[in-house]
mmCIF file of all heavy atoms in Angstrom:
data_model
loop_
_atom_site.group_PDB
_atom_site.id
_atom_site.type_symbol
_atom_site.label_atom_id
_atom_site.label_comp_id
_atom_site.label_asym_id
_atom_site.label_seq_id
_atom_site.Cartn_x
_atom_site.Cartn_y
_atom_site.Cartn_z
ATOM 1 N N ILE A 28 0.781 -1.175 -0.029
ATOM 2 C CA ILE A 28 0.011 0.018 -0.010
ATOM 3 C C ILE A 28 0.850 1.243 0.037
ATOM 4 O O ILE A 28 0.289 2.421 0.158
ATOM 5 C CB ILE A 28 -0.969 -0.021 1.161
ATOM 6 C CG1 ILE A 28 -0.305 -0.134 2.503
ATOM 7 C CG2 ILE A 28 -2.055 -1.105 0.939
ATOM 8 C CD1 ILE A 28 -1.231 0.013 3.719
ATOM 9 N N ILE A 29 2.149 1.123 -0.166
ATOM 10 C CA ILE A 29 3.041 2.314 -0.285
ATOM 11 C C ILE A 29 2.580 3.076 -1.520
ATOM 12 O O ILE A 29 2.241 2.503 -2.536
ATOM 13 C CB ILE A 29 4.498 1.895 -0.418
ATOM 14 C CG1 ILE A 29 4.919 1.388 0.932
ATOM 15 C CG2 ILE A 29 5.356 3.056 -0.944
ATOM 16 C CD1 ILE A 29 6.388 0.915 0.928
ATOM 17 N N LYS A 30 2.570 4.428 -1.367
ATOM 18 C CA LYS A 30 2.064 5.237 -2.490
ATOM 19 C C LYS A 30 3.188 5.453 -3.523
ATOM 20 O O LYS A 30 4.350 5.779 -3.200
ATOM 21 C CB LYS A 30 1.620 6.653 -2.017
ATOM 22 C CG LYS A 30 0.437 6.585 -0.994
ATOM 23 C CD LYS A 30 -0.891 6.563 -1.663
ATOM 24 C CE LYS A 30 -1.976 6.409 -0.708
ATOM 25 N NZ LYS A 30 -2.914 7.503 -0.567
ATOM 26 N N ILE A 31 2.782 5.304 -4.782
ATOM 27 C CA ILE A 31 3.591 5.593 -5.958
ATOM 28 C C ILE A 31 2.743 6.465 -6.854
ATOM 29 O O ILE A 31 1.674 6.039 -7.287
ATOM 30 C CB ILE A 31 4.055 4.353 -6.701
ATOM 31 C CG1 ILE A 31 4.963 3.496 -5.751
ATOM 32 C CG2 ILE A 31 4.804 4.696 -7.942
ATOM 33 C CD1 ILE A 31 5.376 2.159 -6.375
ATOM 34 N N LYS A 32 3.171 7.683 -7.052
ATOM 35 C CA LYS A 32 2.371 8.675 -7.849
ATOM 36 C C LYS A 32 0.927 8.779 -7.258
ATOM 37 O O LYS A 32 -0.078 8.687 -7.904
ATOM 38 C CB LYS A 32 2.234 8.282 -9.304
ATOM 39 C CG LYS A 32 3.613 8.382 -10.046
ATOM 40 C CD LYS A 32 3.385 8.236 -11.530
ATOM 41 C CE LYS A 32 4.669 8.529 -12.240
ATOM 42 N NZ LYS A 32 4.491 8.453 -13.744
ATOM 43 N N GLN A 33 0.897 8.940 -5.933
ATOM 44 C CA GLN A 33 -0.336 9.178 -5.170
ATOM 45 C C GLN A 33 -1.300 7.884 -5.176
ATOM 46 O O GLN A 33 -2.445 8.036 -4.791
ATOM 47 C CB GLN A 33 -1.112 10.372 -5.599
ATOM 48 C CG GLN A 33 -0.459 11.684 -5.289
ATOM 49 C CD GLN A 33 0.702 12.048 -6.215
ATOM 50 O OE1 GLN A 33 0.600 11.890 -7.457
ATOM 51 N NE2 GLN A 33 1.823 12.448 -5.729
ATOM 52 N N LYS A 34 -0.868 6.784 -5.640
ATOM 53 C CA LYS A 34 -1.702 5.527 -5.710
ATOM 54 C C LYS A 34 -0.975 4.471 -4.909
ATOM 55 O O LYS A 34 0.233 4.312 -4.983
ATOM 56 C CB LYS A 34 -1.958 5.102 -7.102
ATOM 57 C CG LYS A 34 -2.644 6.109 -8.007
ATOM 58 C CD LYS A 34 -4.158 6.186 -7.606
ATOM 59 C CE LYS A 34 -4.864 7.073 -8.597
ATOM 60 N NZ LYS A 34 -6.208 7.319 -8.254
ATOM 61 N N PRO A 35 -1.726 3.595 -4.175
ATOM 62 C CA PRO A 35 -1.064 2.520 -3.443
ATOM 63 C C PRO A 35 -0.499 1.518 -4.519
ATOM 64 O O PRO A 35 -1.117 1.294 -5.532
ATOM 65 C CB PRO A 35 -2.213 1.893 -2.627
ATOM 66 C CG PRO A 35 -3.502 2.408 -3.204
ATOM 67 C CD PRO A 35 -3.176 3.706 -3.939
ATOM 68 N N LEU A 36 0.573 0.891 -4.147
ATOM 69 C CA LEU A 36 1.179 -0.063 -5.093
ATOM 70 C C LEU A 36 0.315 -1.092 -5.670
ATOM 71 O O LEU A 36 0.265 -1.349 -6.887
ATOM 72 C CB LEU A 36 2.375 -0.747 -4.388
ATOM 73 C CG LEU A 36 3.224 -1.699 -5.161
ATOM 74 C CD1 LEU A 36 3.871 -1.039 -6.391
ATOM 75 C CD2 LEU A 36 4.323 -2.326 -4.265
ATOM 76 N N ILE A 37 -0.628 -1.615 -4.863
ATOM 77 C CA ILE A 37 -1.573 -2.672 -5.313
ATOM 78 C C ILE A 37 -2.482 -2.163 -6.413
ATOM 79 O O ILE A 37 -2.990 -2.930 -7.246
ATOM 80 C CB ILE A 37 -2.297 -3.248 -4.143
ATOM 81 C CG1 ILE A 37 -3.013 -4.550 -4.576
ATOM 82 C CG2 ILE A 37 -3.260 -2.260 -3.523
ATOM 83 C CD1 ILE A 37 -3.567 -5.352 -3.462
ATOM 84 N N TYR A 38 -2.732 -0.867 -6.394
ATOM 85 C CA TYR A 38 -3.633 -0.249 -7.403
ATOM 86 C C TYR A 38 -3.239 -0.582 -8.793
ATOM 87 O O TYR A 38 -4.066 -0.779 -9.718
ATOM 88 C CB TYR A 38 -3.672 1.275 -7.209
ATOM 89 C CG TYR A 38 -4.284 2.026 -8.364
ATOM 90 C CD1 TYR A 38 -5.655 2.138 -8.577
ATOM 91 C CD2 TYR A 38 -3.424 2.595 -9.361
ATOM 92 C CE1 TYR A 38 -6.147 2.810 -9.643
ATOM 93 C CE2 TYR A 38 -3.917 3.257 -10.419
ATOM 94 C CZ TYR A 38 -5.286 3.365 -10.622
ATOM 95 O OH TYR A 38 -5.844 3.971 -11.694
ATOM 96 N N TYR A 39 -1.898 -0.618 -9.075
ATOM 97 C CA TYR A 39 -1.461 -0.818 -10.407
ATOM 98 C C TYR A 39 -1.751 -2.256 -10.960
ATOM 99 O O TYR A 39 -2.065 -2.450 -12.143
ATOM 100 C CB TYR A 39 0.051 -0.467 -10.531
ATOM 101 C CG TYR A 39 0.222 0.998 -10.204
ATOM 102 C CD1 TYR A 39 0.615 1.433 -8.961
ATOM 103 C CD2 TYR A 39 -0.053 1.949 -11.156
ATOM 104 C CE1 TYR A 39 0.725 2.816 -8.658
ATOM 105 C CE2 TYR A 39 0.133 3.305 -10.901
ATOM 106 C CZ TYR A 39 0.483 3.719 -9.655
ATOM 107 O OH TYR A 39 0.553 5.047 -9.396
ATOM 108 N N SER A 40 -1.741 -3.218 -10.060
ATOM 109 C CA SER A 40 -2.164 -4.592 -10.489
ATOM 110 C C SER A 40 -3.701 -4.569 -10.692
ATOM 111 O O SER A 40 -4.104 -5.231 -11.654
ATOM 112 C CB SER A 40 -1.784 -5.603 -9.388
ATOM 113 O OG SER A 40 -0.322 -5.672 -9.298
ATOM 114 N N ILE A 41 -4.408 -3.932 -9.866
ATOM 115 C CA ILE A 41 -5.886 -3.821 -10.075
ATOM 116 C C ILE A 41 -6.217 -3.154 -11.452
ATOM 117 O O ILE A 41 -7.065 -3.646 -12.157
ATOM 118 C CB ILE A 41 -6.540 -3.093 -8.929
ATOM 119 C CG1 ILE A 41 -6.403 -3.849 -7.555
ATOM 120 C CG2 ILE A 41 -8.055 -2.850 -9.191
ATOM 121 C CD1 ILE A 41 -6.787 -3.022 -6.332
ATOM 122 N N LYS A 42 -5.508 -2.099 -11.686
ATOM 123 C CA LYS A 42 -5.708 -1.370 -12.938
ATOM 124 C C LYS A 42 -5.471 -2.244 -14.183
ATOM 125 O O LYS A 42 -6.304 -2.328 -15.105
ATOM 126 C CB LYS A 42 -4.792 -0.165 -12.997
ATOM 127 C CG LYS A 42 -4.948 0.702 -14.214
ATOM 128 C CD LYS A 42 -3.973 1.808 -14.140
ATOM 129 C CE LYS A 42 -3.889 2.601 -15.464
ATOM 130 N NZ LYS A 42 -2.887 3.692 -15.478
ATOM 131 N N ILE A 43 -4.414 -3.001 -14.176
ATOM 132 C CA ILE A 43 -4.072 -3.901 -15.332
ATOM 133 C C ILE A 43 -5.170 -4.989 -15.390
ATOM 134 O O ILE A 43 -5.636 -5.324 -16.457
ATOM 135 C CB ILE A 43 -2.715 -4.511 -15.163
ATOM 136 C CG1 ILE A 43 -1.612 -3.527 -15.309
ATOM 137 C CG2 ILE A 43 -2.518 -5.670 -16.144
ATOM 138 C CD1 ILE A 43 -1.446 -2.952 -16.650
ATOM 139 N N ALA A 44 -5.564 -5.533 -14.269
ATOM 140 C CA ALA A 44 -6.572 -6.662 -14.273
ATOM 141 C C ALA A 44 -7.857 -6.136 -14.874
ATOM 142 O O ALA A 44 -8.537 -6.821 -15.630
ATOM 143 C CB ALA A 44 -6.753 -7.121 -12.833
ATOM 144 N N LYS A 45 -8.271 -4.881 -14.506
ATOM 145 C CA LYS A 45 -9.500 -4.319 -15.016
ATOM 146 C C LYS A 45 -9.462 -4.102 -16.556
ATOM 147 O O LYS A 45 -10.505 -4.096 -17.200
ATOM 148 C CB LYS A 45 -9.813 -2.957 -14.365
ATOM 149 C CG LYS A 45 -10.341 -3.128 -12.969
ATOM 150 C CD LYS A 45 -10.567 -1.676 -12.406
ATOM 151 C CE LYS A 45 -11.218 -1.710 -11.077
ATOM 152 N NZ LYS A 45 -11.472 -0.360 -10.552
ATOM 153 N N GLN A 46 -8.268 -3.959 -17.085
ATOM 154 C CA GLN A 46 -8.141 -3.802 -18.562
ATOM 155 C C GLN A 46 -8.291 -5.135 -19.281
ATOM 156 O O GLN A 46 -8.497 -5.157 -20.497
ATOM 157 C CB GLN A 46 -6.732 -3.242 -18.861
ATOM 158 C CG GLN A 46 -6.505 -1.817 -18.464
ATOM 159 C CD GLN A 46 -5.159 -1.342 -18.578
ATOM 160 O OE1 GLN A 46 -4.313 -1.939 -19.307
ATOM 161 N NE2 GLN A 46 -4.799 -0.195 -18.043
ATOM 162 N N ILE A 47 -8.285 -6.224 -18.539
ATOM 163 C CA ILE A 47 -8.314 -7.569 -19.170
ATOM 164 C C ILE A 47 -9.652 -8.262 -18.968
ATOM 165 O O ILE A 47 -10.271 -8.845 -19.855
ATOM 166 C CB ILE A 47 -7.170 -8.405 -18.658
ATOM 167 C CG1 ILE A 47 -5.823 -7.764 -19.052
ATOM 168 C CG2 ILE A 47 -7.240 -9.823 -19.182
ATOM 169 C CD1 ILE A 47 -4.619 -8.320 -18.345
ATOM 170 N N VAL A 48 -10.163 -8.205 -17.690
ATOM 171 C CA VAL A 48 -11.413 -8.871 -17.344
ATOM 172 C C VAL A 48 -12.354 -7.928 -16.601
ATOM 173 O O VAL A 48 -11.936 -6.914 -16.112
ATOM 174 C CB VAL A 48 -11.184 -10.145 -16.508
ATOM 175 C CG1 VAL A 48 -10.334 -11.213 -17.204
ATOM 176 C CG2 VAL A 48 -10.545 -9.795 -15.171
ATOM 177 N N ASN A 49 -13.613 -8.334 -16.539
ATOM 178 C CA ASN A 49 -14.569 -7.649 -15.751
ATOM 179 C C ASN A 49 -14.252 -7.654 -14.266
ATOM 180 O O ASN A 49 -13.651 -8.639 -13.793
ATOM 181 C CB ASN A 49 -15.947 -8.284 -16.036
ATOM 182 C CG ASN A 49 -17.106 -7.554 -15.359
ATOM 183 O OD1 ASN A 49 -17.240 -7.474 -14.100
ATOM 184 N ND2 ASN A 49 -17.962 -7.015 -16.189
ATOM 185 N N ARG A 50 -14.571 -6.633 -13.509
ATOM 186 C CA ARG A 50 -14.331 -6.581 -12.094
ATOM 187 C C ARG A 50 -14.725 -7.799 -11.315
ATOM 188 O O ARG A 50 -14.096 -8.154 -10.343
ATOM 189 C CB ARG A 50 -14.989 -5.323 -11.449
ATOM 190 C CG ARG A 50 -14.489 -4.053 -11.852
ATOM 191 C CD ARG A 50 -15.430 -3.027 -11.353
ATOM 192 N NE ARG A 50 -15.312 -1.850 -12.251
ATOM 193 C CZ ARG A 50 -15.201 -0.602 -11.860
ATOM 194 N NH1 ARG A 50 -15.301 -0.352 -10.554
ATOM 195 N NH2 ARG A 50 -15.059 0.351 -12.696
ATOM 196 N N LYS A 51 -15.820 -8.419 -11.771
ATOM 197 C CA LYS A 51 -16.368 -9.536 -11.030
ATOM 198 C C LYS A 51 -15.426 -10.760 -11.134
ATOM 199 O O LYS A 51 -15.551 -11.721 -10.353
ATOM 200 C CB LYS A 51 -17.735 -9.912 -11.541
ATOM 201 C CG LYS A 51 -17.736 -10.492 -12.967
ATOM 202 C CD LYS A 51 -19.171 -10.880 -13.420
ATOM 203 C CE LYS A 51 -19.055 -11.391 -14.781
ATOM 204 N NZ LYS A 51 -20.184 -12.234 -15.159
ATOM 205 N N ASN A 52 -14.455 -10.691 -11.952
ATOM 206 C CA ASN A 52 -13.486 -11.763 -12.209
ATOM 207 C C ASN A 52 -12.107 -11.418 -11.621
ATOM 208 O O ASN A 52 -11.157 -12.083 -11.910
ATOM 209 C CB ASN A 52 -13.343 -12.097 -13.635
ATOM 210 C CG ASN A 52 -14.598 -12.749 -14.177
ATOM 211 O OD1 ASN A 52 -15.252 -13.581 -13.521
ATOM 212 N ND2 ASN A 52 -15.033 -12.344 -15.377
ATOM 213 N N ILE A 53 -12.048 -10.421 -10.700
ATOM 214 C CA ILE A 53 -10.826 -9.997 -10.071
ATOM 215 C C ILE A 53 -10.968 -10.215 -8.573
ATOM 216 O O ILE A 53 -11.963 -9.797 -7.976
ATOM 217 C CB ILE A 53 -10.519 -8.522 -10.390
ATOM 218 C CG1 ILE A 53 -10.395 -8.274 -11.892
ATOM 219 C CG2 ILE A 53 -9.202 -8.121 -9.642
ATOM 220 C CD1 ILE A 53 -10.331 -6.799 -12.260
ATOM 221 N N TYR A 54 -9.973 -10.854 -7.948
ATOM 222 C CA TYR A 54 -10.019 -11.180 -6.534
ATOM 223 C C TYR A 54 -8.683 -10.763 -5.902
ATOM 224 O O TYR A 54 -7.638 -11.020 -6.399
ATOM 225 C CB TYR A 54 -10.168 -12.694 -6.329
ATOM 226 C CG TYR A 54 -11.498 -13.200 -6.904
ATOM 227 C CD1 TYR A 54 -11.621 -13.540 -8.187
ATOM 228 C CD2 TYR A 54 -12.577 -13.344 -6.029
ATOM 229 C CE1 TYR A 54 -12.830 -13.939 -8.727
ATOM 230 C CE2 TYR A 54 -13.843 -13.770 -6.582
ATOM 231 C CZ TYR A 54 -13.912 -14.086 -7.920
ATOM 232 O OH TYR A 54 -15.131 -14.526 -8.377
ATOM 233 N N ILE A 55 -8.843 -10.124 -4.736
ATOM 234 C CA ILE A 55 -7.708 -9.821 -3.893
ATOM 235 C C ILE A 55 -7.784 -10.726 -2.664
ATOM 236 O O ILE A 55 -8.760 -10.668 -1.885
ATOM 237 C CB ILE A 55 -7.655 -8.327 -3.516
ATOM 238 C CG1 ILE A 55 -7.416 -7.513 -4.756
ATOM 239 C CG2 ILE A 55 -6.524 -8.114 -2.463
ATOM 240 C CD1 ILE A 55 -7.308 -6.039 -4.576
ATOM 241 N N SER A 56 -6.753 -11.483 -2.479
ATOM 242 C CA SER A 56 -6.620 -12.390 -1.259
ATOM 243 C C SER A 56 -5.772 -11.626 -0.308
ATOM 244 O O SER A 56 -4.609 -11.405 -0.545
ATOM 245 C CB SER A 56 -6.003 -13.713 -1.636
ATOM 246 O OG SER A 56 -5.655 -14.441 -0.501
ATOM 247 N N THR A 57 -6.361 -11.323 0.859
ATOM 248 C CA THR A 57 -5.623 -10.543 1.865
ATOM 249 C C THR A 57 -6.143 -10.760 3.274
ATOM 250 O O THR A 57 -7.246 -11.161 3.482
ATOM 251 C CB THR A 57 -5.645 -9.033 1.534
ATOM 252 O OG1 THR A 57 -4.702 -8.357 2.424
ATOM 253 C CG2 THR A 57 -7.011 -8.421 1.715
ATOM 254 N N ASP A 58 -5.320 -10.436 4.249
ATOM 255 C CA ASP A 58 -5.708 -10.413 5.648
ATOM 256 C C ASP A 58 -5.716 -8.989 6.176
ATOM 257 O O ASP A 58 -6.077 -8.761 7.327
ATOM 258 C CB ASP A 58 -4.658 -11.197 6.438
ATOM 259 C CG ASP A 58 -3.274 -10.591 6.359
ATOM 260 O OD1 ASP A 58 -2.863 -10.125 5.290
ATOM 261 O OD2 ASP A 58 -2.609 -10.529 7.432
ATOM 262 N N SER A 59 -5.385 -8.022 5.309
ATOM 263 C CA SER A 59 -5.249 -6.605 5.766
ATOM 264 C C SER A 59 -6.533 -5.818 5.517
ATOM 265 O O SER A 59 -7.129 -5.742 4.474
ATOM 266 C CB SER A 59 -4.132 -5.959 4.906
ATOM 267 O OG SER A 59 -4.137 -4.575 4.967
ATOM 268 N N LYS A 60 -6.891 -5.047 6.644
ATOM 269 C CA LYS A 60 -8.091 -4.170 6.510
ATOM 270 C C LYS A 60 -7.838 -3.026 5.482
ATOM 271 O O LYS A 60 -8.742 -2.667 4.728
ATOM 272 C CB LYS A 60 -8.401 -3.548 7.835
ATOM 273 C CG LYS A 60 -8.979 -4.556 8.845
ATOM 274 C CD LYS A 60 -9.264 -3.897 10.180
ATOM 275 C CE LYS A 60 -9.718 -4.977 11.212
ATOM 276 N NZ LYS A 60 -9.934 -4.416 12.517
ATOM 277 N N LYS A 61 -6.631 -2.540 5.439
ATOM 278 C CA LYS A 61 -6.344 -1.445 4.531
ATOM 279 C C LYS A 61 -6.350 -1.886 3.074
ATOM 280 O O LYS A 61 -6.888 -1.226 2.184
ATOM 281 C CB LYS A 61 -4.885 -0.857 4.857
ATOM 282 C CG LYS A 61 -4.861 -0.109 6.161
ATOM 283 C CD LYS A 61 -3.491 0.406 6.488
ATOM 284 C CE LYS A 61 -3.475 1.145 7.769
ATOM 285 N NZ LYS A 61 -2.092 1.567 8.119
ATOM 286 N N ILE A 62 -5.912 -3.126 2.796
ATOM 287 C CA ILE A 62 -5.910 -3.661 1.453
ATOM 288 C C ILE A 62 -7.370 -3.976 1.072
ATOM 289 O O ILE A 62 -7.799 -3.741 -0.085
ATOM 290 C CB ILE A 62 -4.968 -4.846 1.258
ATOM 291 C CG1 ILE A 62 -3.565 -4.405 1.453
ATOM 292 C CG2 ILE A 62 -5.225 -5.562 -0.042
ATOM 293 C CD1 ILE A 62 -2.497 -5.483 1.534
ATOM 294 N N LYS A 63 -8.183 -4.503 1.978
ATOM 295 C CA LYS A 63 -9.591 -4.730 1.754
ATOM 296 C C LYS A 63 -10.328 -3.432 1.345
ATOM 297 O O LYS A 63 -11.137 -3.422 0.457
ATOM 298 C CB LYS A 63 -10.255 -5.384 2.951
ATOM 299 C CG LYS A 63 -9.827 -6.777 3.198
ATOM 300 C CD LYS A 63 -10.444 -7.301 4.538
ATOM 301 C CE LYS A 63 -9.794 -8.589 4.948
ATOM 302 N NZ LYS A 63 -10.267 -9.032 6.281
ATOM 303 N N LYS A 64 -9.915 -2.373 1.996
ATOM 304 C CA LYS A 64 -10.581 -1.060 1.735
ATOM 305 C C LYS A 64 -10.262 -0.660 0.269
ATOM 306 O O LYS A 64 -11.090 -0.165 -0.419
ATOM 307 C CB LYS A 64 -10.084 -0.021 2.758
ATOM 308 C CG LYS A 64 -10.733 1.368 2.591
ATOM 309 C CD LYS A 64 -10.292 2.294 3.628
ATOM 310 C CE LYS A 64 -10.917 3.680 3.398
ATOM 311 N NZ LYS A 64 -10.413 4.684 4.385
ATOM 312 N N ILE A 65 -8.952 -0.838 -0.111
ATOM 313 C CA ILE A 65 -8.558 -0.462 -1.420
ATOM 314 C C ILE A 65 -9.362 -1.311 -2.482
ATOM 315 O O ILE A 65 -9.775 -0.853 -3.537
ATOM 316 C CB ILE A 65 -7.034 -0.634 -1.593
ATOM 317 C CG1 ILE A 65 -6.311 0.397 -0.773
ATOM 318 C CG2 ILE A 65 -6.560 -0.502 -3.151
ATOM 319 C CD1 ILE A 65 -4.855 0.168 -0.549
ATOM 320 N N ALA A 66 -9.479 -2.651 -2.148
ATOM 321 C CA ALA A 66 -10.254 -3.520 -3.056
ATOM 322 C C ALA A 66 -11.689 -3.026 -3.231
ATOM 323 O O ALA A 66 -12.225 -3.004 -4.270
ATOM 324 C CB ALA A 66 -10.218 -4.953 -2.502
ATOM 325 N N LYS A 67 -12.301 -2.675 -2.118
ATOM 326 C CA LYS A 67 -13.695 -2.150 -2.133
ATOM 327 C C LYS A 67 -13.854 -0.929 -2.951
ATOM 328 O O LYS A 67 -14.734 -0.765 -3.789
ATOM 329 C CB LYS A 67 -14.199 -1.948 -0.737
ATOM 330 C CG LYS A 67 -14.566 -3.245 0.025
ATOM 331 C CD LYS A 67 -15.080 -2.959 1.415
ATOM 332 C CE LYS A 67 -15.270 -4.272 2.197
ATOM 333 N NZ LYS A 67 -15.669 -4.050 3.543
ATOM 334 N N ILE A 68 -12.912 0.034 -2.753
ATOM 335 C CA ILE A 68 -12.896 1.269 -3.496
ATOM 336 C C ILE A 68 -12.786 1.050 -5.010
ATOM 337 O O ILE A 68 -13.435 1.712 -5.839
ATOM 338 C CB ILE A 68 -11.689 2.228 -3.054
ATOM 339 C CG1 ILE A 68 -12.011 2.764 -1.629
ATOM 340 C CG2 ILE A 68 -11.464 3.325 -4.000
ATOM 341 C CD1 ILE A 68 -10.815 3.443 -0.935
ATOM 342 N N ASN A 69 -12.037 -0.009 -5.362
ATOM 343 C CA ASN A 69 -11.835 -0.349 -6.781
ATOM 344 C C ASN A 69 -12.815 -1.342 -7.313
ATOM 345 O O ASN A 69 -12.774 -1.733 -8.499
ATOM 346 C CB ASN A 69 -10.427 -0.868 -7.005
ATOM 347 C CG ASN A 69 -9.418 0.288 -6.929
ATOM 348 O OD1 ASN A 69 -9.246 1.000 -7.914
ATOM 349 N ND2 ASN A 69 -8.820 0.529 -5.809
ATOM 350 N N GLY A 70 -13.800 -1.757 -6.514
ATOM 351 C CA GLY A 70 -14.884 -2.600 -6.985
ATOM 352 C C GLY A 70 -14.537 -4.044 -7.309
ATOM 353 O O GLY A 70 -15.200 -4.606 -8.164
ATOM 354 N N VAL A 71 -13.507 -4.554 -6.637
ATOM 355 C CA VAL A 71 -13.111 -5.928 -6.958
ATOM 356 C C VAL A 71 -13.401 -6.792 -5.691
ATOM 357 O O VAL A 71 -13.647 -6.305 -4.621
ATOM 358 C CB VAL A 71 -11.579 -6.036 -7.305
ATOM 359 C CG1 VAL A 71 -11.330 -5.227 -8.611
ATOM 360 C CG2 VAL A 71 -10.657 -5.563 -6.228
ATOM 361 N N ASN A 72 -13.418 -8.108 -5.941
ATOM 362 C CA ASN A 72 -13.743 -9.050 -4.896
ATOM 363 C C ASN A 72 -12.668 -9.266 -3.887
ATOM 364 O O ASN A 72 -11.465 -9.065 -4.203
ATOM 365 C CB ASN A 72 -14.026 -10.408 -5.541
ATOM 366 C CG ASN A 72 -15.185 -10.354 -6.501
ATOM 367 O OD1 ASN A 72 -16.301 -10.067 -6.125
ATOM 368 N ND2 ASN A 72 -14.900 -10.551 -7.762
ATOM 369 N N ILE A 73 -13.058 -9.640 -2.649
ATOM 370 C CA ILE A 73 -12.097 -9.860 -1.590
ATOM 371 C C ILE A 73 -12.176 -11.350 -1.164
ATOM 372 O O ILE A 73 -13.303 -11.817 -0.987
ATOM 373 C CB ILE A 73 -12.406 -8.970 -0.395
ATOM 374 C CG1 ILE A 73 -12.257 -7.489 -0.838
ATOM 375 C CG2 ILE A 73 -11.458 -9.310 0.766
ATOM 376 C CD1 ILE A 73 -12.786 -6.475 0.197
ATOM 377 N N ILE A 74 -11.066 -11.959 -1.013
ATOM 378 C CA ILE A 74 -10.976 -13.283 -0.419
ATOM 379 C C ILE A 74 -10.312 -13.088 0.918
ATOM 380 O O ILE A 74 -9.149 -12.629 1.014
ATOM 381 C CB ILE A 74 -10.197 -14.255 -1.293
ATOM 382 C CG1 ILE A 74 -10.952 -14.514 -2.589
ATOM 383 C CG2 ILE A 74 -9.977 -15.581 -0.522
ATOM 384 C CD1 ILE A 74 -10.229 -15.384 -3.580
ATOM 385 N N GLU A 75 -11.032 -13.488 2.057
ATOM 386 C CA GLU A 75 -10.405 -13.335 3.369
ATOM 387 C C GLU A 75 -9.378 -14.422 3.489
ATOM 388 O O GLU A 75 -9.623 -15.609 3.590
ATOM 389 C CB GLU A 75 -11.562 -13.597 4.375
ATOM 390 C CG GLU A 75 -12.648 -12.626 4.320
ATOM 391 C CD GLU A 75 -12.323 -11.264 5.006
ATOM 392 O OE1 GLU A 75 -11.343 -11.228 5.780
ATOM 393 O OE2 GLU A 75 -13.012 -10.288 4.729
#
């Protein structure tokens, strides 16, 4: 979640994934509340 150009690092992987598949086919597997929040903001699925 370190910011690069004002975006968290994980954002760039989400961005590429959205260019390839629909959001409903993107999953973030995490244990972190902060990463879950980023996933929700970007409209992708969360795997606990």
